[in-house]
Amino acid sequence: MAMKILFENIWKCVKPVAFNKYLVVLIGFGVFITFFDRHNLISRWRTGQHIKQLKEEISFYEQEIEANKQKMQELQSNDENLEKFAREQYLMKKENEDIFLIDE
């Protein structure tokens, strides 16, 4: 009997809030925006994560471009650097030279 009275008292407090038309519309709108809309919050979050990843890639490639520009400048300015690069990267050699490759 005490439980019944307790539930009735709780229902009296909850009923006006639960059946408030503004609250029902607001909750329905929130559910619609979160899950069913074309531009829902879940897809917006995924798009934001994808944009963040692409910005990191842009930053990485900008650093690579700067490093390669610096290497190219060094190679074009000094013949010794160009010869060293050709020997190391493309295993080029002069006429009467032998090359030994050592794998570590």
Side-chain angles (χ1 to χ4, degrees):
M1 186 73 166
M3 291 296 275
K4 184 178 180 182
I5 296 172
L6 179 65
F7 284 127
E8 287 177 1
N9 288 338
I10 292 174
W11 181 246
K12 285 180 186 177
C13 295
V14 172
K15 185 178 178 181
V17 175
F19 292 113
N20 183 346
K21 62 184 173 183
Y22 300 110
L23 183 63
V24 170
V25 169
L26 183 65
I27 291 172
F29 179 73
V31 168
F32 179 75
I33 291 296
T34 304
F35 298 108
F36 302 114
D37 189 30
R38 179 177 173 205
H39 303 289
N40 61 33
L41 294 176
I42 296 169
S43 67
R44 290 180 69 113
W45 179 77
R46 287 180 185 152
T47 304
Q49 294 297 318
H50 187 65
I51 289 171
K52 182 179 176 183
Q53 178 187 5
L54 291 175
K55 284 182 180 180
E56 290 173 0
E57 285 182 21
I58 288 171
S59 174
F60 170 76
Y61 286 120
E62 285 175 348
Q63 291 173 356
E64 286 292 314
I65 289 170
E66 288 300 317
N68 288 334
K69 281 182 182 180
Q70 185 179 7
K71 278 185 184 178
M72 190 168 72
Q73 182 67 27
E74 288 177 12
L75 293 176
Q76 290 176 345
S77 66
N78 192 349
D79 288 336
E80 291 176 6
N81 287 340
L82 182 61
E83 182 180 341
K84 179 182 176 186
F85 179 79
R87 287 173 175 265
E88 290 176 356
Q89 296 297 319
Y90 298 109
L91 303 175
M92 292 185 169
K93 63 178 187 151
K94 292 182 181 176
E95 271 189 46
N96 300 324
E97 276 187 342
D98 293 327
I99 295 179
F100 298 99
L101 298 177
I102 300 173
D103 289 333
E104 295 181 8

